[in-house]
Amino acid sequence: MSVIIDTDPGIDDAIAILYALGNPDLNVVALTTVAGNIGLSVTTQNAGRICALAQVDVPVHAGAAAPLGKEARPETGIHGKEGLGGVAFPDPIYPVASDDAVAAMIQILTEHPPHSVDLFCLGPLTNLAMLLEQAPDTAHRIRRVIAMGGAVDEPGNVGPKSEFNIVHDPHAAAAVFAAGLSLTLIPLDATRQLRANMDYIDALRDADCAASIASADLIAAYFAATNGAESRPLHDPCVPLFAKHSNMFRIEPRDLDVDIATGALVAGPHRIDVAMGLDADRLRAALLSGLSY
Ligand code: RIB
Ligand code: CA
């Protein structure tokens, strides 16, 4: 399957991207970047750095520098001002592509057969919302969207019921929910079940590969402000892991919408497949294996 990864790297984004780039079944044809965890210039530079570390040549296209109709609100407290937890990554090998994220999405979706390209959304949904606005028919050539975001029964991580990716751009999320795309949402209800401990970090280092060692360093940086026994949740890696191992997730149909004022998911008219649980042990094993390259 061909894949576009839309991302705001970001510590957990980086692990997700390294996993996807190393997986022969996931033909990553482009990275499109968005402002989110940090500003657009940093997320875009980081996307290039991640490809350089993986030694995989994937074009990087810069996208939206701010959410629809509001100011960007970076989360440097978690990801650091350079966005990768202070972990050293190489400089990008190739310059950022000249065409922006939406133009690249349009070109890729037009050139590929209908419903042959998946879109992995690891950050705010601004770029996808802009694609829907500018080229709705082209957007509906996407086979499926797998997006990390939201909180259904879980408390939020930004507000009582607000999760970062959705609340960063609620207008975009509402547009995506309403578009009638094949959408699987992976909210905090599932991602909070996938964490790493120090033994897992050791196992990544023992795998002794560039991607596994970098991921060990990224997860170690992700321990900050936790009880020290486990990392913060491995939110974004759940997206490519679902693409490869959907049987390790519990999916429930939910009728949802987005509360624009709070960014919370609320009951609404849009039927969406939602991951409400996962098999953490099997997914950690799959992630370790997929990063050993
Ligand atoms: O709430 C978690 C999400 O917000 C993840 O995508 C993380 O990278 C941040 O963007
Ligand atoms: Ca992210």
Side-chain angles (χ1 to χ4, degrees):
M1 89 190 64
S2 294
V3 178
I4 299 169
I5 301 180
D6 194 58
T7 178
D8 62 335
I11 289 175
D12 56 325
D13 302 67
I15 300 166
I17 295 166
L18 286 171
Y19 172 83
L21 292 178
N23 197 305
D25 296 336
L26 301 175
N27 171 32
V28 181
V29 295
L31 297 183
T32 54
T33 58
V34 64
N37 286 318
I38 358 48
L40 180 66
S41 61
V42 177
T43 60
T44 303
Q45 178 86 341
N46 286 345
R49 292 179 185 284
I50 295 161
C51 292
L53 183 127
Q55 295 186 323
V56 177
D57 172 16
V58 172
V60 174
H61 303 267
L68 302 179
K70 57 187 276 201
E71 289 300 310
R73 242 181 51 183
E75 192 53 74
T76 52
I78 294 176
H79 301 269
K81 66 181 178 47
E82 293 311 317
L84 295 175
V87 176
F89 272 71
D91 289 336
I93 298 171
Y94 303 98
V96 177
S98 54
D99 47 341
D100 70 15
V102 173
M105 287 176 173
I106 291 171
Q107 181 173 356
I108 292 164
L109 291 165
T110 304
E111 286 175 351
H112 283 69
H115 311 300
S116 66
V117 178
D118 286 353
L119 177 63
F120 294 176
C121 294
L122 312 183
L125 295 170
T126 316
N127 290 335
L128 177 52
M130 290 171 69
L131 172 67
L132 284 162
E133 191 177 326
Q134 294 177 29
D137 292 345
T138 307
H140 281 85
R141 290 171 69 94
I142 294 170
R143 184 173 79 134
R144 63 177 174 171
V145 176
I146 308 172
M148 189 278 141
V152 179
D153 299 333
E154 277 278 312
N157 58 6
V158 173
K161 289 297 290 172
S162 304
E163 177 278 331
F164 181 82
N165 286 340
I166 303 297
V167 72
H168 193 91
D169 195 341
H171 292 90
V176 169
F177 280 32
L181 296 166
S182 169
L183 171 61
T184 298
L185 190 68
I186 306 184
L188 298 179
D189 304 75
T191 65
R192 278 184 170 143
Q193 298 176 34
L194 187 63
R195 298 174 189 259
N197 60 21
M198 295 309 286
D199 290 344
Y200 192 75
I201 289 179
D202 291 343
L204 284 165
R205 292 199 196 289
D206 292 345
D208 199 22
C209 305
S212 69
I213 291 168
S215 296
D217 293 341
L218 288 163
I219 294 174
Y222 217 30
F223 266 81
T226 67
N227 61 13
E230 286 189 311
S231 70
R232 289 178 183 274
L234 303 178
H235 299 293
D236 291 340
C238 287
V239 170
L241 283 167
F242 175 78
K244 280 288 294 165
H245 304 288
S246 60
N247 61 319
M248 297 182 190
F249 291 77
R250 178 167 50 81
I251 300 295
E252 296 177 10
R254 293 294 178 110
D255 297 317
L256 297 172
D257 206 346
V258 179
D259 177 87
I260 296 295
T262 64
L265 301 189
V266 294
H270 311 305
R271 173 57 59 96
I272 294 170
D273 284 342
V274 180
M276 293 301 288
L278 54 76
D279 184 330
D281 288 340
R282 291 173 70 200
L283 286 168
R284 275 190 289 265
L287 182 63
L288 172 60
S289 168
L291 288 168
S292 300
Y293 69 94

